[in-house]
Amino acid sequence: MRVIGLMSGTSYDAIEAAAAELHLDGDELVMSLLGARSLPWPEELRHGIGAVLPPAATTVEAVCRLDTLIGQAFADAAVNAVEALCSGAADLVVSHGQTVHHWVEDATVRGTLQLGRPAWIAEATDLPVVSDLRSRDVAAGGQGAPLVSAVDTLLLRGRPGVAAALNLGGIANVTVVPRAAAPVAFDTGPANALLDAAVRHFTGGTRHYDEDGRGAAAGRVDAGLLALLLEEPYYRRPAPKTTGKELFHLPYLLAALAARPVPELADVLATLTRLTAVTVADACRAHGVTELVVSGGGTRNPALMRAIDAELPGVRVLTSDAVGLPVDAKEALAFAVLGFLTVHGLPATVPSCTGARHTSLLGSITPGRTPLDLPPPAAVAPTRLRIVPAPVSSRRLGSSQCSPSTTSPAWRIV
Ligand SMILES: Nc1ncnc2c1ncn2[C@@H]1O[C@H](COP(=O)(O)OP(=O)(O)O)[C@@H](O)[C@H]1O
Ligand SMILES: [Mg+2]
């Protein structure tokens, strides 16, 4: 089955589209990557998303408009992926949508809202669409996140030592997969969220992120600001736990800077980079991690990767490219897998990771042009994900081809 995964994370920088051929082989899920592309949000829409994110007040009208515009943008990305990555023939689209609110109260997730109405995708592609993947886990008492933990578990199970996957998006999340115990997953705290907020604020919106970590590399960590930020109670809460930009936003950073002024932007960036590294490393140490497989835009920041490596002596740090998943496409591919499991009648959550009472069949399915014709429910649930090269006939040439990143800094410590 050819599946397209669509994802935009809390950084709302781009829609990541990835395509994979997936099939079940006994207790293995076999995936070959067909390609991936990153489609940056148009500046106006990006602005529109930023305008409804917490702590901003918004209106139902603004939310309705965005739901449509995001749905249309995801539909464009899907059409593009069908043509460019699947030679015009795909079977299923899985759309994460754009998270605009992750409602956490007293450590319990009570709701999570992703915009991007799937009808636009189904209308544009004629394909069935799996969407709203998080809600069912929330209804089952889970955090609704990190949902990629199910895919990380399939991928990392059986690796030597204590393997973990780390995604450095706006928020950082880890999945720890010990050999002889249940996996755990949680958000460790901000990855790029506060870094991006600082850059945007202090450059008057002319820059969006600390490109290649140059600001952080030029600055010095302010011990007082770091200590203040580390007082955040979230870091001490036990897993399962998740967070978002509802907590780690610009006013949060500005309040810390008001209490501990740091005049130089470079020093603020150095401190925030260290904050991410320390909170990631604390989480890894608490779970005895020996190998860390890193993905997400944060892998493109050498200062951040160096800082994480420095905080974790003795831990093998590598990017997800090394295990077959391009760093930018990993989450989109993970959602492709989750939707594939859904249409095969297979639950796709790990309760020890999300904290749910039980595992769940995820998502809502919007029919394509024809009535839904789902495969028969699979008899055996996969226990492993095997990534194999795509058949030559389905490989696409050019920049969209899915291969380990060549543009990312050489952050592969193997
Ligand atoms: N070259 C780079 N240098 C530093 N940071 C980068 C670079 N490329 C991407 N990033 C960071 O990665 C973020 C996007 O990562 P991504 O994995 O897409 O996050 P999300 O899933 O939250 O959208 C950007 O907002 C930026 O902070
Ligand atoms: Mg992104």
Side-chain angles (χ1 to χ4, degrees), residues 9-11 13 168-170 192 196 209-212 296-298 300-301:
T10 51
S11 307
D13 54 320
L168 296 171
N192 296 300
D196 289 0
Y209 61 97
D210 181 18
E211 198 173 346
D212 300 336
R300 308 221 176 256
N301 179 338

Side-chain angles (χ1 to χ4, degrees), residues 122-141:
E123 178 68 16
T125 61
D126 286 339
L127 295 173
V129 181
V130 181
S131 63
D132 190 22
L133 289 109
R134 300 191 185 277
S135 296
R136 186 60 181 272
D137 186 70
V138 171

Side-chain angles (χ1 to χ4, degrees), residues 102-267:
H102 191 62
W103 176 18
V104 188
E105 223 172 79
D106 302 329
T108 300
V109 174
R110 301 187 183 275
T112 184
L113 181 62
Q114 287 75 42
L115 297 185
R117 194 111 328 218
W120 293 101
I121 305 171
E123 178 68 16
T125 61
D126 286 339
L127 295 173
V129 181
V130 181
S131 63
D132 190 22
L133 289 109
R134 300 191 185 277
S135 296
R136 186 60 181 272
D137 186 70
V138 171
Q143 298 278 316
L147 286 188
V148 292
S149 56
V151 180
D152 291 335
T153 301
L154 290 174
L155 184 69
L156 298 181
R157 189 174 273 154
R159 283 182 82 84
V162 180
L166 168 70
N167 191 69
L168 296 171
I171 302 296
N173 64 268
V174 286
T175 306
V176 183
V177 188
R179 281 179 79 88
V184 288
F186 55 97
D187 290 339
T188 61
N192 296 300
L194 296 180
L195 280 165
D196 289 0
V199 170
R200 257 186 221 143
H201 181 72
F202 290 107
T203 65
T206 57
R207 288 194 286 132
H208 292 300
Y209 61 97
D210 181 18
E211 198 173 346
D212 300 336
R214 282 198 284 267
R220 286 221 314 253
V221 172
D222 184 281
L225 178 62
L226 180 62
L228 182 66
L229 290 166
L230 283 170
E231 283 173 17
E232 166 58 51
Y234 177 79
Y235 304 131
R236 279 178 292 284
R237 268 206 228 135
K241 60 176 177 177
T242 51
T243 185
K245 287 196 162 170
E246 298 72 27
L247 177 59
F248 296 111
H249 47 36
L250 178 65
Y252 176 95
L253 174 63
L254 294 181
L257 283 170
R260 172 75 193 194
V262 175
E264 291 297 324
L265 173 59
D267 296 344

Side-chain angles (χ1 to χ4, degrees), residues 8-9 11-14 16:
S8 175
S11 307
Y12 58 104
D13 54 320
E16 310 295 340

